[in-house]
Amino acid sequence: MATPEEMLQTMIKNLPEKTGKSLEQWLLETQKLTFTKHGEFLKYLKQEHGVSHGFANLIASKTLDAKNSDRQDDPLLSQYAGPKAELKPIYDRLITHITNFGSDVEIAVKKSYVSLRRNKQFAIIQASTRTRVDLGLQLPGVAETPRLESSGSFNQMVTHRVRIESLEDIDCELIDWLELSYDRN
């Protein structure tokens, strides 16, 4: 009787014959997909490629293992994974603007947010919900507005917070606040 590991190795060996691709070829294709759930991969492999359930299960499991391994190595990938993946363009646009302020900007990716420093921390970026990125700014003495709110319980390391739900929220007013925080710190 074969062990579970031997059965797995036999399935992997039989993948090219049964599906037309090796496991490595499948992983190159499936890791590009934005799916986050095992069932999404199963459905895709079965419907789009006619892969049988057993082989689809194997490919889906190995794909998720590889994706999760990548995320553990890169906390930024983890912050913008799964349902928060659609927020990554907001982060990217903010970073583009911020790095244009000067070559002295230090970007420190933490487990749940990104710290932006010059001489000291001037801002943080955090994917707070599925639909929103919060930008924390260090602006002591600057009056609150409906949009530039007190940081409150959001984060004690900054004085203000701006909630960003779309790329359109990254406008001249927001960039001015960011640059003011950069200049003061």
Side-chain angles (χ1 to χ4, degrees):
M1 181 107 185
T3 67
E5 182 58 33
E6 290 170 334
M7 293 188 311
L8 174 65
Q9 291 307 315
T10 299
M11 283 188 76
I12 291 171
K13 186 178 123 205
N14 291 334
L15 265 171
E17 178 188 338
K18 301 292 185 179
T19 67
K21 295 179 186 175
S22 68
L23 180 59
E24 292 77 20
Q25 291 169 317
W26 278 115
L27 291 177
L28 285 173
E29 181 174 331
T30 56
Q31 284 185 319
K32 295 176 189 173
L33 302 171
T34 58
F35 303 144
T36 58
K37 296 181 180 165
H38 189 85
E40 294 172 315
F41 284 105
L42 283 178
K43 183 177 178 183
Y44 169 79
L45 291 164
K46 289 174 166 183
Q47 290 181 353
E48 299 297 320
H49 295 282
V51 176
S52 69
H53 181 80
F55 286 111
N57 189 49
L58 168 67
I59 297 165
S61 293
K62 293 295 185 183
T63 301
L64 287 170
D65 287 349
K67 283 185 172 217
N68 288 332
S69 172
D70 290 345
R71 283 189 203 121
Q72 290 171 0
D73 295 341
D74 186 344
L76 188 62
L77 285 177
S78 182
Q79 290 175 33
Y80 293 94
K84 294 182 181 180
E86 293 180 17
L87 297 174
K88 183 71 165 49
I90 292 172
Y91 169 83
D92 292 339
R93 181 159 307 164
L94 285 169
I95 290 297
T96 298
H97 284 289
I98 291 164
T99 55
N100 285 330
F101 294 158
S103 61
D104 58 348
V105 173
E106 177 188 327
I107 301 168
V109 179
K110 308 294 184 181
K111 184 175 180 180
S112 61
Y113 67 94
V114 174
S115 171
L116 302 159
R117 300 179 54 85
R118 188 176 183 197
N119 296 320
K120 58 184 182 176
Q121 182 171 273
F122 66 90
I124 63 171
I125 303 170
Q126 177 176 309
S128 296
T129 72
R130 294 172 173 230
T131 61
R132 187 184 80 235
V133 170
D134 285 333
L135 174 66
L137 298 167
Q138 188 66 342
L139 294 170
V142 173
E144 296 173 30
T145 70
R147 187 172 176 209
L148 181 68
E149 60 190 55
S150 169
S151 65
S153 64
F154 162 64
N155 192 302
Q156 299 299 314
M157 296 182 293
V158 292
T159 59
H160 293 77
R161 168 176 63 178
V162 179
R163 299 170 192 244
I164 305 169
E165 295 180 344
S166 71
L167 290 171
E168 290 74 35
D169 291 338
I170 303 172
D171 57 11
C172 292
E173 181 180 49
L174 180 119
I175 300 305
D176 287 346
W177 288 327
L178 248 174
E179 193 163 16
L180 178 61
S181 184
Y182 166 81
D183 288 340
R184 288 184 171 187
N185 294 287

